[in-house]
């Protein structure tokens, strides 16, 4: 049974991680409009990988960059890479709101998968909190009804792959370093993004594009490291709903950088999401 204090610390770490993820997503949104989403993903992944390896070498922790259990590390990396590819396909095939709603099913999938794979139990109030958080996401995004398509299946698959990958962290041995898990992910993600970028045609980035990619890479490297710590420290069913906080960060970054209006129904949904997190944590 995970210590409640550990769960609280893990939730706070996850909150910071998802804030950084949202910042990285903002750089992706800005940069992909100029050089394409797959080339953007490749550049950001390579920069993130360079930062992680550079930090490991400078801090004298080069050995911790290599996975002790490569099957687990690269298996998780493959799952997360599939998550990325599927959600990008969903974005291309569905209205963005619908893809986001299905993608945000991952915290619910985490609670279910954690119960099946590692026997984590969540109270009835916790389950209610998870469901309430999903209701808050629906309230914010207000998706329209549409027939089931390959895009819907891809978004659901993306959420499921993400959930399984995060629960696998609960099986990671304590002598497997956080950095090794992140390095494995970034290697696999760079490989697949690079192939897709080559297939779709490359656009030569200028120095501003590279600077923005470096910023995004730094944010993603930090976020990936923090989210690994969070899932290893706390229960998956407690950490996962913190992903809903990305809606709040999305409102913030959207208003600050893209002049997106902050609507009342979005603020109301954010309050619902915060209440859901409180229910899960208590």
């Amino acid at each position: 049974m995970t210590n409640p204090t550990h769960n609280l610390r893990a939730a706070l770490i996850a909150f910071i991680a998802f804030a950084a993820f949202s910042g990285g997503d903002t750089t992706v949104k800005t940069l992909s409009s100029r050089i394409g989403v797959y080339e953007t993903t490749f550049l950001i992944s390579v920069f993130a990988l360079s930062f992680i390896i550079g930090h490991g070498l400078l801090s004298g922790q080069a050995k911790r960059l290599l996975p002790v259990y490569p099957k687990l590390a690269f298996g998780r990396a493959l799952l997360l890479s599939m998550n990325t590819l599927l959600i990008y396909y969903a974005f291309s095939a569905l209205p963005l709101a619908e893809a986001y709603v299905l993608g945000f099913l991952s915290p619910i999938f985490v609670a279910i998968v954690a119960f099946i794979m590692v026997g984590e139990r969540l109270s009835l109030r916790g389950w209610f909190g998870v469901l309430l958080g999903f209701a808050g996401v629906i309230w914010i995004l207000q998706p329209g009804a549409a027939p089931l398509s390959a895009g819907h299946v891809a978004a659901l698959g993306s959420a499921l792959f993400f959930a399984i990958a995060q629960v696998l962290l609960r099986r990671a041995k304590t002598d497997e370093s956080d950095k090794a898990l992140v390095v494995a992910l970034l290697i696999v993600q760079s490989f697949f993004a690079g192939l897709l970028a080559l297939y779709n045609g490359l656009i030569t980035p200028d120095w501003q594009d590279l600077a923005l990619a470096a910023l995004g890479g730094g944010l993603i490297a930090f976020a990936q490291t923090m989210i690994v710590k969070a899932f290893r420290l706390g229960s998956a069913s407690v950490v996962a709903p913190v992903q809903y906080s990305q809606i709040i960060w999305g409102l913030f970054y959207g208003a600050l950088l893209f002049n997106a209006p902050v609507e009342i129904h979005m603020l109301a949904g954010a309050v619902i999401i915060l209440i859901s997190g409180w229910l899960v944590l208590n």
Side-chain angles (χ1 to χ4, degrees):
M1 184 66 69
T2 305
N3 188 301
T5 302
H6 289 173
N7 275 338
L8 179 58
R9 287 177 56 201
L12 291 173
I13 291 171
F15 182 77
I16 295 170
F18 283 119
F21 273 126
S22 296
D25 291 343
T26 301
T27 66
V28 170
K29 178 178 177 62
T30 303
L31 191 55
S32 62
S33 64
R34 300 205 290 266
I35 64 173
V37 66
Y38 295 119
E39 188 171 350
T40 296
T41 303
F42 172 75
L43 288 175
I44 287 178
S45 299
V46 168
F47 273 114
L49 181 61
S50 300
F51 290 142
I52 293 288
I53 292 176
H55 181 269
L57 294 175
L58 291 175
S59 61
Q61 298 179 341
K63 290 184 178 180
R64 295 181 64 81
L65 298 173
L66 301 175
V68 180
Y69 305 95
K71 183 183 292 187
L72 174 64
F74 284 98
R76 173 181 175 271
L78 182 60
L79 287 169
L80 287 177
S81 296
M82 289 299 296
N83 156 65
T84 301
L85 294 173
L86 286 171
I87 199 62
Y88 283 159
Y89 174 78
F91 287 160
S92 69
L94 295 175
L96 195 58
E98 291 186 33
Y100 269 133
V101 165
L102 293 174
F104 278 128
L105 278 170
S106 58
I108 295 176
F109 285 158
V110 164
I112 296 170
V113 172
F115 174 75
I116 295 172
M117 291 181 60
V118 295
E120 288 186 5
R121 295 185 180 275
L122 197 62
S123 67
L124 287 177
R125 183 167 62 177
W127 279 110
F128 176 72
V130 170
L131 295 176
L132 183 63
F134 181 57
V137 172
I138 295 177
W139 178 268
I140 288 175
L141 298 178
Q142 298 183 346
L148 185 66
S149 68
H152 293 95
V153 175
L156 287 169
S158 170
L160 182 59
F161 277 122
F162 182 82
I164 296 172
Q166 301 310 331
V167 174
L168 277 178
L169 286 177
R170 303 298 294 161
R171 291 189 169 182
K173 305 296 184 182
T174 55
D175 53 342
E176 184 70 276
S177 75
D178 298 345
K179 284 186 174 63
L181 291 172
V182 176
V183 165
L185 165 61
L186 293 173
I187 288 174
V188 175
Q189 187 167 289
S190 298
F191 174 75
F192 283 113
L195 287 180
L196 287 169
L198 286 171
Y199 178 79
N200 286 278
L202 298 177
I203 298 174
T204 303
D206 59 26
W207 70 269
Q208 291 178 322
D209 296 332
L210 292 175
L212 192 58
L215 173 61
L219 288 168
I220 293 301
F222 174 77
Q224 289 288 358
T225 303
M226 290 298 101
I227 203 63
V228 168
K229 289 182 182 295
F231 272 98
R232 295 182 72 163
L233 179 63
S235 298
S237 54
V238 169
V239 175
V242 183
Q243 182 185 5
Y244 292 138
S245 66
Q246 283 189 290
I247 292 291
I248 300 171
W249 289 113
L251 291 173
F252 172 75
Y253 288 126
L256 181 66
L257 300 175
F258 303 108
N259 295 317
V262 178
E263 300 178 0
I264 297 299
H265 80 276
M266 289 190 176
L267 293 177
V271 171
I272 293 173
I273 291 168
L274 290 174
I275 292 173
S276 77
W278 180 85
L279 288 172
V280 172
L281 287 171
N282 290 273

